[in-house]
Amino acid sequence: MKKSVLTRYRVMAYVTGVVLVLLTLGMIAKYLLDMDGAADFTRVVSIAHGWLYVVYLVFAFDLGSKARWPVARQLWVLIAGTIPTAAFFVERKVSRELEPLVADTSTAPAKA
């Protein structure tokens, strides 16, 4: 597996996680604190999260298929983008597991 596959997943996991935390804070501001402007903020951030989550799904599925994960593991990684802060923890665990495999592949001698 190429290192770029893991890097793409890691970037999208962080981006999706940050936007989801912003969305959660926006929802709290809109519904619990009844703040002015929170509705507009929430609308914009929710649309951004929706599109970014689709990109996250593509990259996470690509990573899982190349890592040959079982379906249950793949689903957990895919769902992590919908639970606030879960993407950060799942990304860390996935990266620790796959970085040695990526490093072994990149240091292998090239075939002639």
Side-chain angles (χ1 to χ4, degrees):
M1 176 174 42
K2 293 182 180 181
K3 185 175 176 105
S4 63
V5 175
L6 180 59
T7 302
R8 285 190 312 226
Y9 163 74
R10 292 183 71 186
V11 168
M12 285 311 300
Y14 278 111
V15 169
T16 303
V18 167
V19 173
L20 186 57
V21 167
L22 289 174
L23 179 59
T24 303
L25 294 173
M27 291 291 194
I28 291 169
K30 179 179 176 181
Y31 292 109
L32 293 180
L33 303 176
D34 198 27
M35 294 177 69
D36 292 333
D40 294 332
F41 175 79
T42 302
R43 186 178 311 110
V44 170
V45 173
S46 63
I47 291 170
H49 174 68
W51 285 105
L52 291 169
Y53 181 66
V54 170
V55 176
Y56 169 82
L57 287 175
V58 170
F59 289 161
F61 182 78
D62 183 41
L63 178 70
S65 63
K66 289 182 178 165
R68 300 180 193 267
W69 287 337
V71 173
R73 173 90 188 254
Q74 182 107 16
L75 286 175
W76 173 239
V77 172
L78 294 175
I79 290 171
T82 63
I83 303 168
T85 69
F88 302 120
F89 296 107
V90 172
E91 180 276 328
R92 199 66 234 141
K93 185 176 180 184
V94 166
S95 293
R96 284 187 183 143
E97 175 190 325
L98 294 180
E99 278 180 344
L101 301 175
V102 170
D104 290 345
T105 309
S106 64
T107 59
K111 294 182 181 179

